[in-house]
Amino acid sequence: RIFVLGIGFFTLCFLMTSLGGQFSAKRLGDSPFTIRNEVMGALESRGVLRRMSDMLEMLMKRMDILARLENSTDFHKGDEARFPLDRLQPAAGLMERIQAIAQNVSDIAIKVDQILRNSLLNGKVMEGRRDQCEVPRDPKYPDCAGKVEWMRARWTSDPCYAFFGVDGTECSFLIYLSEVEWFCPPLPWRNRTAAAPSPPPRPPVQAAFRSDLAHLLELIGTGKESLSFMKKRIRHLAQQWLRAARRLEQKLKGRQRDQKHILIHIGFLTEESGDVFSPRVLKGGPLGEMVQWADILAALFLLGHSLRVTVSLKELQSHLGVPPGRGNCPLTSPLPFDLIYTDYHGLQQMKQHMGLSFKKYRCRVRVIDTFGTEPAYNHEEYATLRGYRTNWGYWNLQPTQFMTMFPHTPDNSFMGFVSEELNQTERQLIKSNKVSSMAVVYGKEASIWKGKEKFLAILNKYMEIHGTVYYETQRPPEVPAFVKNHGLLPQHEFQQLLRKAKLFIGFGFPYEGPAPLEAIANGCIFLQARFNPPHSSLNHEFFRGKPTSREARVSSQHPYAEDFIGKPHVWTVDYNNSEEFEAAVKTIMRTQVEPFLPYEYTCEGMLERIHAYIQHQDFCTMLSPPLPPKTKSPAMQSPPSPLVLSPNATHLVWSPSASRDPQAWPPVDSLQVWVSESRHTCTETCRRHGLVCEPTFFRFLNREEVFLQLSITCDSTEYEMNHLYPAVAENVHECYLQKEPLLFSCAGYNTKYRRLCPCRDFQQGQVALCRDCL
């Protein structure tokens, strides 16, 4: 009897569960296009209810027969002790419950039948709508029809469309294109099933300077030699970073700073990009990029921001919220990061997997770009039309979103890196241990030494030559026998070698690495070759294909050292002139120098610079575009120019009576407008006046009135796309204004034009920041 009761009870539970399954298919994560399947199951659901009711009725009849039989047998045998009356009461109670459940099931069956009939009716209406969806003709959505046509032919090309509910019907196309993407207007009948509201923005959290780097080392992770190198560097410089953070904190005097959520994706270290760097860390490969990334990580972390670090594509997809598929669909949720620091490899990976979301969020990206990207190469249409297209350009970003290792061009933001600073005791020790006849050659790869025997022979007459060329034990490097080669040295041992040496000499390659600054910071004099003509993408294979022309600027192996440091720490000579080279070596041996490190390459200088960028650079807020080329009516005249002629009438400055936008950065008070010579870029023009070109100020001088204020005669004024504009062709009195703000550029010149150049002042030792930029 107990067994039968148990079977009956569990059968009841099973049936109820089965019934529940009929009505639980419509869950939150299900496709919105499942109405047809559910409605078609209505008759089946009613059949389940009837079968359940019939089984319950049969179960009650059998239990009733069993109870009568049990009572009759027990009383005939007089075995009341064995089957007492209270043992029968639970069975009677269970039967009463089953009878109640049966009655309830019968009532539910009636109600569900009514619900399913209504659902079927509504489903037919909905199905009619689905079958009758037409592409809307709305002028606000001109691309809608074309996108629907594309979806008809290609919706199966990427599983992400099915993930978002596309099933091949017209309505599913329109729902996707209006609710996931934004090419079509919302469907009116979808308003009553509006999507859940976006989560409220996170309350702002104030950034606080950190006093420990241990957690950063955990964030960086393990598994690659490149990561190990970066972590060793961070540990080595930890005390300098912490002291610098304390000094900057005091300088800012408790100023409020919002904590940013930042993703750092080092694309060149991902397996998908080849990661050619990690295997070469211990074999003399280039370390400059890893030096810079290590310093960026340390600076962002100490400034108090929330970081996520990735070196794999899978981690990138997870952090961004990339839907399953091939990357044609937008992200599944709003981007959870305020800023993303990456490189060109990471930028390409993001574009490939973020779909339309890349265009939406690209204003949050900062691209670590060793050699820089000039505006002419960045603007896709212009680069294609004018022959500036390369494998690395055409991203249509704001040019200052690219961040360089050295201040090559003011069109990009100068990120930099740091070199180790010396305390007074270390300075005195270096001074006493310097060997005036000791030279170290810049170059860890044997190929750099090839063809340099002539210079080495001259140098060997006066100095003992040391090298740090990597080599396998069984294959010594091909360097002259008189060179004392130490092999590849750990960083601290290389520093010790530099602290003894008098001369650090470069043979023309690699370009613009961190080692010359480290040598100068350790009391060496850096000797390098002058390039004549200067190297550029027009005449040198190394720069060919890079998104920068570097016109007339790569005049030596290390232009920053030549232009911003110079003698006595940096000597740039013509290596093709043996007499000049030998004379320089002799003079260097007699010259006494102190260790020197520009402030912008100290930990404090880099922290200061990155802090300013995070606080003030906002590429997601659109600036006012240039005036349209259409003729303006008197009622549409632009406001008067905020610029006035300087007291000596040589250039324009910001008028004291003009209004100032407190959010403008750099502050407009630092602006000066100069006219270039025909063979000079704006970068050179500003430098000749002790200033720096500031591309964000171009918008203030891209107007006809500025030509008049500078006494420039314009017989005609045209708006065109050209990275040299605004400019004047003086021989024909034709003036040109910039039509495309992305093409405002400090770089470039043409002998036909004199350019209008926006210049600003700068802090001594911190070229990226104006005097009032903090």
Side-chain angles (χ1 to χ4, degrees), residues 672-693:
Q672 297 183 27
V673 182
W674 290 84
V675 182
S676 77
E677 297 299 325
S678 59
R679 292 183 177 273
H680 292 164
T681 66
C682 280
T683 301
E684 292 173 294
T685 299
C686 294
R687 185 175 295 160
R688 284 170 176 260
H689 296 288
L691 303 168
V692 173
C693 183

Side-chain angles (χ1 to χ4, degrees), residues 344 347-348 351 358 362 373-384 388-397 402 547:
Y344 261 124
L347 194 64
Q348 183 63 49
K351 182 179 180 181
F358 178 78
R362 65 184 175 184
T373 298
E374 294 175 4
Y377 296 82
N378 171 59
H379 192 282
E380 183 174 13
E381 179 186 357
Y382 184 78
T384 303
Y388 291 103
R389 194 175 178 94
T390 69
N391 292 332
W392 300 103
Y394 58 88
W395 286 96
N396 291 331
L397 300 179
F402 297 98

Side-chain angles (χ1 to χ4, degrees), residues 435-436 438 463 500-503 524-525 588-589 591-592:
V435 180
S436 61
M438 177 177 172
M463 308 185 86
K500 289 180 62 179
K502 177 75 173 184
L503 176 67
C524 292
I525 291 175
I588 288 170
M589 293 180 68
T591 303
Q592 299 297 318

Side-chain angles (χ1 to χ4, degrees), residues 57 60-61 90 155 171 272 314 401 413 508 520 542 627 659:
E57 185 177 354
M60 284 190 297
K61 288 179 179 178
W155 75 273
C171 287
E272 289 77 10
K314 186 176 181 180
Q401 288 179 254
S413 298
I520 296 167
F542 179 83
L627 298 174
S659 62

Side-chain angles (χ1 to χ4, degrees), residues 147 165 232 295 335 448 551 633:
K147 290 293 181 180
K232 287 178 183 176
D295 296 345
L335 187 69
I448 296 173
E551 291 171 327
S633 66

Side-chain angles (χ1 to χ4, degrees), residues 165-230:
V166 176
D167 62 359
T169 62
E170 251 353 56
C171 287
S172 70
F173 298 153
L174 291 171
I175 290 171
Y176 174 85
L177 291 171
S178 62
E179 297 180 12
V180 180
E181 297 185 5
W182 44 88
F183 291 105
C184 295
L187 299 175
W189 53 272
R190 292 281 294 180
N191 289 344
R192 54 196 174 88
T193 56
S198 300
R202 295 184 297 260
V205 176
Q206 292 303 303
F209 284 91
R210 292 190 173 99
S211 58
D212 187 0
L213 287 163
H215 182 56
L216 173 61
L217 300 177
E218 295 176 6
L219 287 175
I220 293 174
T222 58
K224 290 178 178 284
E225 288 293 343
S226 49
L227 298 180
S228 298
F229 173 86
M230 288 191 278

